Amino acid sequence: MTFSQNDFDFVAEHARGAMLLQTVADTLEWDERTGMPIDGGDYRATQVSTLRGMVHRRRTDAKYGETLQSLSENLGDEDPAGDVAATVRGLLRNWKRDHRLPEDLVERTSRATVKGQQRWDAARRADDFGMFRDTLAEIIELKREAGQRIAEGTDRSPYEALLDEYEPDARVEPLNQVFQDLRKPLVELIDAIREAPRQPKRSLLERDFAIAGQRDLSRFVAESVGFDFQAGRLDETSHPFCTTLGPRDCRILTRYDLNWLPAGLLGTMHEAGHGMYEQGMRSDWFGLPPGSYCSLGIHESQSRLWENQVGRSRPFWQWLFARTQKTFAPTLDDVSLDDFHFAINQIQPSLIRVEADEATYNLHIIIRFDLEQLLIGGTLAVDDLPAAWDARYQSDLGVCAPSAANGVLQDVHWSAGLIGYFPTYTLGNLASAQLYDAAAAELGDLESMFAGGEFSPLLDWLRSRIHERGQCESGDSLILRATGKSLSADALIRYLNGKLRPLYGLDG
Amino acid sequence: MTFSQNDFDFVAEHARGAMLLQTVADTLEWDERTGMPIDGGDYRATQVSTLRGMVHRRRTDAKYGETLQSLSENLGDEDPAGDVAATVRGLLRNWKRDHRLPEDLVERTSRATVKGQQRWDAARRADDFGMFRDTLAEIIELKREAGQRIAEGTDRSPYEALLDEYEPDARVEPLNQVFQDLRKPLVELIDAIREAPRQPKRSLLERDFAIAGQRDLSRFVAESVGFDFQAGRLDETSHPFCTTLGPRDCRILTRYDLNWLPAGLLGTMHEAGHGMYEQGMRSDWFGLPPGSYCSLGIHESQSRLWENQVGRSRPFWQWLFARTQKTFAPTLDDVSLDDFHFAINQIQPSLIRVEADEATYNLHIIIRFDLEQLLIGGTLAVDDLPAAWDARYQSDLGVCAPSAANGVLQDVHWSAGLIGYFPTYTLGNLASAQLYDAAAAELGDLESMFAGGEFSPLLDWLRSRIHERGQCESGDSLILRATGKSLSADALIRYLNGKLRPLYGLDG
């Protein structure tokens, strides 16, 4: 048989139809998280689950799957990194995954995770892991079964099968290796910083920063780095995120804290990084793999790059500091650029992942990555999880949570069934540093550009190397092609040492 | 055959399913009109039309219609004003209407009205009726065909068949009668006012009213009169409206004008009136006739009652004026309550319906009601419409539009295929006055209540007499039962004379 254009058009149309309904549901969820009246929740849940059900039925349709299978076997001389091959490969991968999960398991998991998030929320408020224990055990069991079914007949472990949903083709061993490569020099750096001769003044960032000023400044920054407000908007919510509601409609959300300036401002840089990735994809492939993000690790590399490599750099603040002072005058009038820059680069082991700095953050991730493998593998019982958690925080970060709410109950992920998701955060950190190095090598003096408020050369570079490639290649392959090297810990370690040692008065 | 509960459950579930998708589409349109990024429009249009198509297929489903028909023939001793009978009657009425319109006609009308609104918008900007002429002629023809098909085999005229969509069971003759009853005393009053010894100072309301203050005050007013913000929200848009997205999620939208205070404040009262009607319906019947608004005339009676009978009354401003002065201080410091109250009750014939006062407004409506009957009846050609329009404005209101933009092109309705819609505005005005009289007769001194900021007795009265009745009775029957009289022009005439003659220094 030869490649059938008709068949291709059918599956593309079918997938685009599913995406249309998915973006409708996503719009409803965006609304729910930005300002839906509180009593609207019940009906909204019914609307969203009805739509998600319609999407799921479309995505698991038998004829659709058979056609994808047949297309996949008859790709002929299509370029494997081309749009057509990527479309067939990506859609078939998703279909197979969905197809291996019986409706019953999907439904039980959906129910368990809805309940899970409610129980988790209540348990966290009550500071009582016991309230969450049974639901978590049920979720772990369901995810283990899902992993086993997806992995069946392959050489993957059930955990790898779960990981694959967020980071296609990722394997545990190489991940473990790169995380260990990162861990040792990172701990050395953090230890050195703990005893460093100079320390930043965190309190500079804890003054009163009027929310109206934060809003103006955040919007200015998002617009300046290249987030397109004609095809997007910036709103506020309690748990920041980025969601794409159409080929030219990307919504980013942030959260302002009166007494912690980085939350809103660098939070906006982070979400704008996600948003610019979404806006940088090719609209004509919207809803299909060539116009979809490559992996969560790659997605996170974009947010981290703008938040950290750009947003915590000195040249960026050379550009923005005077405006920041003016926005909040006279709050920062007595503060120097150097002191401010040092403060936003404070490194300090702490209990809460989402509040962690860019160095210690990765230690939080490695703990979760290790523990969730043990949970899925069955070698760590849910009852033993809190103790294991606390022990790792003590040994890895040298901190101990006073209670479960600040410890094992801090993240929503597991309660939502997101297992295999955490490592993508650190993959993003690694990739952001490596991509930034490569961009700097090609583009020249990025620092002077930032100091002059010029960000488009960097964004353009990311567009052509990453955004416009969609899922035409794997994450590994994208990184290799864009940077000339496989992903490693080298760039991130070099970047952190290069920035932090001088700041803290440590010898290079 | 006896009444089948199974059949009833099937049609109710089917209708609720259609409503679920309709409210999803409505949510998308709310988003589009409140802040969707401008480039999101194309994809949004595809999403909405896909959802509307799904709703239409559900609503015209053959088995659903047959089941409704059979239920309708076997209602047995169900109370005709009860929930079950109302459900079957209302759903069957809608099904029959939809069913009589061939898919092809629906599609052509949909295309023509999408184009119609674009052409209308362009024609209005260019101030050139000629640009809109062909599309309007096409829309008139399509609506005439629809009216003919719906009216076929009944004793209704095609225009009445169109009117019936917005005002079930309304007939042209009684409407004409009540409009003529209104017209003569209204013109007498307006003429007297024109020559009255006292005139209000309109300019008091044209000062600078900071938008932030208008926002605060409007929210305060909406909340005070009884709009429930736990089940609703208030936003801003260019063309205010009210939309219901779920049984406990009603969104009202208003528009603030820096130099015209009534636009935002009384506009909010108007939309809050619509919103409180929606919020007052029984949630457990959401998506079914007992939990749906009775007719557009009844809907409008609620908005007008709160905007005019309440919001333009002196006791209301006794309550709110000091707060208004404080909100905009010192803008209104030199203004007395009496002068302010007189200003918001200015009566002055003008060109634009949406800016008209509560007396002359009805003359704008009668013109449209008469002209659209002639257009559908075929006795007025589209080419002759602008001249007919201008002649009526000259004779009825004594004003002449300098050009089409301020004349025949001012309203979006006809371009959107909304023919038979205009008279519901004046029906609302008539009903609001009659309902207010009846409430006052039962509740006693409403004026003292308003002066003390107490609105819940009036709202509760409207809830039990109107809101909770949904479509269990026709609009006529609701009014008769609530007020003890059939709808007439008496109450509105009495109300306008009673308020305006003293203000303008005319003898009672």
Side-chain angles (χ1 to χ4, degrees):
Chain A
M1 263 171 68
T2 55
F3 179 76
S4 156
Q5 186 64 41
N6 272 353
D7 282 356
F8 183 81
D9 292 345
F10 162 74
V11 297
E13 193 53 35
H14 191 91
R16 283 188 203 269
M19 179 56 87
L20 185 136
L21 293 172
Q22 182 181 310
T23 51
V24 167
D26 291 341
T27 306
L28 266 57
E29 290 196 333
W30 174 87
D31 177 70
E32 185 169 356
R33 293 173 68 174
T34 50
M36 184 190 70
I38 185 145
D39 284 0
D42 285 347
Y43 195 67
R44 181 56 50 88
T46 310
Q47 291 173 315
V48 169
S49 70
T50 301
L51 289 162
R52 299 262 180 241
M54 290 163 66
V55 171
H56 182 75
R57 277 192 297 284
R58 260 195 176 250
R59 292 218 164 120
T60 52
D61 180 78
K63 185 184 166 211
Y64 169 64
E66 285 157 23
T67 313
L68 279 168
Q69 189 70 54
S70 142
L71 280 164
S72 157
E73 286 157 11
N74 294 284
L75 275 174
D77 51 3
E78 286 289 344
D79 175 5
D83 295 327
V84 168
T87 299
V88 174
R89 185 174 59 239
L91 296 180
L92 182 58
R93 159 202 295 279
N94 295 340
W95 184 85
K96 277 186 177 163
R97 159 179 291 277
D98 292 339
H99 190 69
R100 282 174 169 239
L101 299 178
E103 190 113 351
D104 170 61
L105 180 63
V106 171
E107 256 175 44
R108 279 187 296 145
T109 306
S110 166
R111 269 200 307 276
T113 53
V114 166
K115 198 174 103 201
Q117 288 170 81
Q118 289 163 357
R119 299 295 297 169
W120 164 76
D121 197 47
R124 199 176 46 137
R125 281 167 207 268
D127 202 0
D128 177 5
F129 180 78
M131 288 171 62
F132 180 46
R133 189 241 161 250
D134 287 352
T135 324
L136 179 60
E138 187 189 349
I139 291 169
I140 297 289
E141 212 163 300
L142 288 163
K143 295 304 287 187
R144 188 187 298 136
E145 184 183 339
Q148 282 165 345
R149 284 179 181 274
I150 299 165
E152 209 178 304
T154 73
D155 62 348
R156 285 199 213 138
S157 71
Y159 180 78
E160 281 177 322
L162 298 175
L163 177 63
D164 182 81
E165 181 168 355
Y166 312 111
E167 201 62 31
D169 301 324
R171 307 300 291 250
V172 163
E173 262 327 297
L175 259 186
N176 256 331
Q177 188 55 55
V178 74
F179 283 10
Q180 291 317 318
D181 291 348
L182 173 65
R183 184 202 189 86
K184 192 163 165 281
L186 197 56
V187 168
E188 278 172 20
L189 173 63
I190 294 165
D191 285 348
I193 283 173
R194 216 188 298 255
E195 312 292 329
R198 298 186 55 214
Q199 293 293 336
K201 300 189 195 82
R202 178 186 173 90
S203 64
L204 303 181
L205 306 173
E206 295 173 332
R207 298 175 176 181
D208 277 8
F209 296 97
I211 302 294
Q214 292 197 47
R215 262 187 210 121
D216 288 350
L217 197 62
S218 291
R219 189 183 157 107
F220 170 75
V221 163
E223 199 153 21
S224 299
V225 297
F227 181 78
D228 180 359
F229 279 87
Q230 230 176 265
R233 43 183 289 174
L234 167 62
D235 293 274
E236 290 162 47
T237 191
S238 54
H239 293 91
F241 65 107
C242 166
T243 183
T244 292
L245 308 183
R248 300 279 301 150
D249 186 353
C250 175
R251 315 271 174 112
I252 57 177
L253 299 101
T254 193
R255 180 176 60 82
Y256 301 109
D257 181 336
L258 179 68
N259 297 116
W260 185 240
L261 185 61
L265 203 56
L266 291 170
T268 300
M269 283 288 279
H270 180 97
E271 299 305 334
H274 282 305
M276 291 187 287
Y277 182 19
E278 292 286 329
Q279 291 182 333
M281 290 174 205
R282 290 172 292 158
S283 294
D284 50 338
W285 285 97
F286 182 76
L288 296 175
S292 305
Y293 69 87
C294 177
S295 73
L296 284 187
I298 295 294
H299 224 312
E300 196 72 8
S301 76
Q302 302 304 294
S303 56
R304 300 288 170 144
L305 188 150
W306 289 99
E307 175 190 358
N308 294 332
Q309 273 80 13
V310 179
R312 293 185 202 270
S313 74
R314 200 172 180 293
F316 179 82
W317 287 101
Q318 271 177 263
W319 167 68
L320 192 65
F321 189 61
R323 190 181 186 114
T324 305
Q325 282 183 311
K326 201 172 152 209
T327 299
F328 301 110
T331 308
L332 290 173
D333 288 4
D334 63 327
V335 177
S336 72
L337 168 59
D338 281 331
D339 284 349
F340 183 87
H341 176 240
F342 194 12
I344 63 159
N345 280 289
Q346 190 193 29
I347 303 297
Q348 181 155 42
S350 64
L351 285 169
I352 307 295
R353 176 185 60 86
V354 296
E355 293 165 8
D357 58 75
E358 59 179 324
T360 61
Y361 188 93
N362 300 295
L363 300 178
H364 292 261
I365 294 304
I366 294 172
I367 294 174
R368 287 156 177 76
F369 175 58
D370 293 345
L371 292 177
E372 66 183 14
Q373 285 182 67
L374 297 175
L375 287 168
I376 292 296
T379 52
L380 176 65
V382 167
D383 285 325
D384 299 330
L385 175 63
W389 180 284
D390 289 341
R392 282 294 301 265
Y393 263 78
Q394 189 64 63
S395 69
D396 292 23
L397 281 145
V399 294
C400 182
S403 68
N406 297 314
V408 67
L409 286 177
Q410 70 180 266
D411 294 311
V412 70
H413 298 62
W414 291 338
S415 76
L418 300 173
I419 293 176
Y421 192 110
F422 280 122
T424 67
Y425 291 124
T426 283
L427 283 175
N429 283 334
L430 297 170
S432 70
Q434 196 164 323
L435 286 168
Y436 186 84
D437 270 5
E442 277 190 58
L443 298 172
D445 192 0
L446 283 177
E447 307 210 333
S448 296
M449 297 179 200
F450 298 169
E454 199 188 345
F455 303 99
S456 59
L458 176 58
L459 180 56
D460 289 343
W461 188 90
L462 292 167
R463 291 244 145 111
S464 63
R465 302 309 192 282
I466 306 291
H467 306 183
E468 292 168 2
R469 301 291 300 143
Q471 294 178 4
C472 288
E473 295 171 81
S474 71
D476 279 350
S477 164
L478 269 187
I479 294 293
L480 178 60
R481 202 190 286 244
T483 70
K485 284 173 270 200
S486 293
L487 187 68
S488 80
D490 296 351
L492 182 60
I493 289 295
R494 199 165 48 240
Y495 155 73
L496 290 173
N497 277 316
K499 178 167 73 169
L500 297 170
R501 287 190 177 266
L503 277 176
Y504 277 88
L506 301 165
D507 47 9
Chain B
M1 261 169 69
T2 55
F3 179 75
S4 157
Q5 185 65 42
N6 272 353
D7 281 359
F8 183 80
D9 292 345
F10 162 74
V11 298
E13 193 51 36
H14 191 90
R16 283 189 203 268
M19 179 55 87
L20 186 136
L21 293 172
Q22 183 182 309
T23 51
V24 167
D26 291 342
T27 306
L28 266 57
E29 290 194 333
W30 174 87
D31 177 71
E32 183 168 358
R33 292 173 68 174
T34 50
M36 184 190 71
I38 186 146
D39 284 1
D42 285 347
Y43 195 67
R44 180 55 52 88
T46 310
Q47 291 173 314
V48 169
S49 71
T50 302
L51 289 162
R52 299 260 180 243
M54 290 163 66
V55 171
H56 183 75
R57 276 192 298 282
R58 262 195 173 248
R59 293 219 164 117
T60 52
D61 180 76
K63 186 184 164 211
Y64 169 65
E66 285 156 22
T67 312
L68 281 168
Q69 189 71 54
S70 142
L71 279 164
S72 157
E73 287 156 10
N74 295 284
L75 275 174
D77 52 2
E78 285 288 344
D79 175 7
D83 295 327
V84 169
T87 299
V88 173
R89 184 173 62 239
L91 296 180
L92 182 58
R93 159 202 294 279
N94 296 339
W95 185 83
K96 276 186 178 163
R97 161 178 290 277
D98 292 339
H99 190 69
R100 280 172 171 242
L101 300 178
E103 190 110 354
D104 169 60
L105 180 63
V106 171
E107 255 175 45
R108 278 187 296 144
T109 307
S110 167
R111 268 200 307 274
T113 53
V114 167
K115 198 174 105 202
Q117 288 170 80
Q118 290 163 356
R119 299 295 297 171
W120 164 75
D121 198 48
R124 198 176 48 136
R125 282 167 206 269
D127 202 0
D128 177 5
F129 180 78
M131 286 171 62
F132 180 45
R133 189 243 160 249
D134 288 351
T135 323
L136 178 60
E138 188 189 349
I139 290 169
I140 297 290
E141 213 164 298
L142 288 163
K143 295 305 288 187
R144 186 187 298 136
E145 184 183 339
Q148 283 165 344
R149 285 179 180 271
I150 299 165
E152 209 179 304
T154 73
D155 62 348
R156 286 198 214 140
S157 71
Y159 179 77
E160 281 177 322
L162 297 175
L163 177 62
D164 183 80
E165 181 169 353
Y166 312 111
E167 200 63 30
D169 301 325
R171 308 298 293 248
V172 162
E173 261 329 296
L175 258 187
N176 255 331
Q177 188 56 54
V178 75
F179 283 9
Q180 290 317 316
D181 292 346
L182 173 65
R183 184 200 188 89
K184 192 163 164 284
L186 197 55
V187 169
E188 277 171 21
L189 173 64
I190 294 165
D191 285 347
I193 282 173
R194 217 188 298 256
E195 312 294 328
R198 299 186 54 213
Q199 292 293 337
K201 301 189 194 83
R202 177 187 173 89
S203 63
L204 303 182
L205 305 174
E206 295 173 334
R207 297 175 176 181
D208 277 7
F209 297 97
I211 302 296
Q214 293 197 48
R215 260 186 214 125
D216 288 349
L217 198 62
S218 292
R219 187 182 159 108
F220 170 74
V221 163
E223 199 153 20
S224 299
V225 298
F227 182 78
D228 180 358
F229 279 87
Q230 226 173 269
R233 41 183 292 174
L234 167 62
D235 293 274
E236 290 163 48
T237 190
S238 53
H239 293 89
F241 65 107
C242 166
T243 183
T244 292
L245 308 183
R248 300 278 300 150
D249 187 352
C250 175
R251 316 271 174 112
I252 57 176
L253 298 101
T254 193
R255 180 176 60 82
Y256 301 109
D257 182 337
L258 180 68
N259 297 117
W260 184 239
L261 185 61
L265 203 55
L266 291 170
T268 299
M269 282 288 279
H270 180 98
E271 299 305 333
H274 281 305
M276 290 186 288
Y277 182 19
E278 292 286 329
Q279 291 182 334
M281 290 174 204
R282 288 173 293 160
S283 294
D284 49 338
W285 285 97
F286 183 77
L288 296 175
S292 303
Y293 68 88
C294 176
S295 73
L296 283 187
I298 296 294
H299 224 312
E300 195 73 8
S301 76
Q302 302 304 294
S303 57
R304 300 289 170 144
L305 188 150
W306 290 99
E307 176 190 357
N308 294 333
Q309 273 79 15
V310 179
R312 292 185 203 271
S313 73
R314 199 173 182 290
F316 179 82
W317 286 101
Q318 271 177 262
W319 167 69
L320 192 64
F321 188 60
R323 190 180 185 115
T324 306
Q325 281 182 311
K326 202 172 150 208
T327 299
F328 301 110
T331 307
L332 291 172
D333 289 2
D334 63 327
V335 177
S336 71
L337 168 59
D338 282 331
D339 284 350
F340 183 87
H341 176 239
F342 194 14
I344 62 160
N345 279 288
Q346 190 192 30
I347 302 298
Q348 182 155 42
S350 64
L351 285 169
I352 306 295
R353 176 185 61 86
V354 296
E355 293 166 8
D357 57 75
E358 57 179 328
T360 61
Y361 188 94
N362 300 294
L363 300 178
H364 292 261
I365 294 304
I366 294 173
I367 294 174
R368 287 157 178 76
F369 176 58
D370 292 346
L371 292 177
E372 66 183 13
Q373 285 182 68
L374 298 174
L375 287 168
I376 292 296
T379 51
L380 175 65
V382 168
D383 285 325
D384 298 329
L385 175 64
W389 180 285
D390 289 341
R392 281 295 299 268
Y393 263 78
Q394 189 64 63
S395 68
D396 292 23
L397 281 145
V399 294
C400 182
S403 68
N406 295 315
V408 68
L409 286 177
Q410 69 180 264
D411 295 310
V412 69
H413 299 61
W414 291 338
S415 76
L418 299 174
I419 293 177
Y421 191 111
F422 280 122
T424 68
Y425 290 124
T426 283
L427 283 175
N429 283 335
L430 297 170
S432 70
Q434 195 163 323
L435 286 168
Y436 185 84
D437 270 5
E442 277 190 57
L443 298 172
D445 192 0
L446 283 178
E447 306 209 336
S448 295
M449 296 179 201
F450 298 169
E454 199 188 344
F455 303 99
S456 59
L458 176 58
L459 180 57
D460 289 343
W461 189 90
L462 293 167
R463 290 244 145 113
S464 62
R465 302 310 193 281
I466 306 291
H467 306 185
E468 292 168 2
R469 303 291 300 143
Q471 293 177 4
C472 288
E473 296 170 79
S474 71
D476 280 349
S477 164
L478 268 187
I479 294 294
L480 177 60
R481 202 190 286 241
T483 71
K485 286 174 270 200
S486 291
L487 187 69
S488 81
D490 297 350
L492 183 59
I493 288 297
R494 200 165 48 239
Y495 156 73
L496 290 173
N497 276 315
K499 177 167 74 169
L500 297 170
R501 285 188 179 267
L503 278 175
Y504 277 88
L506 302 163
D507 46 9

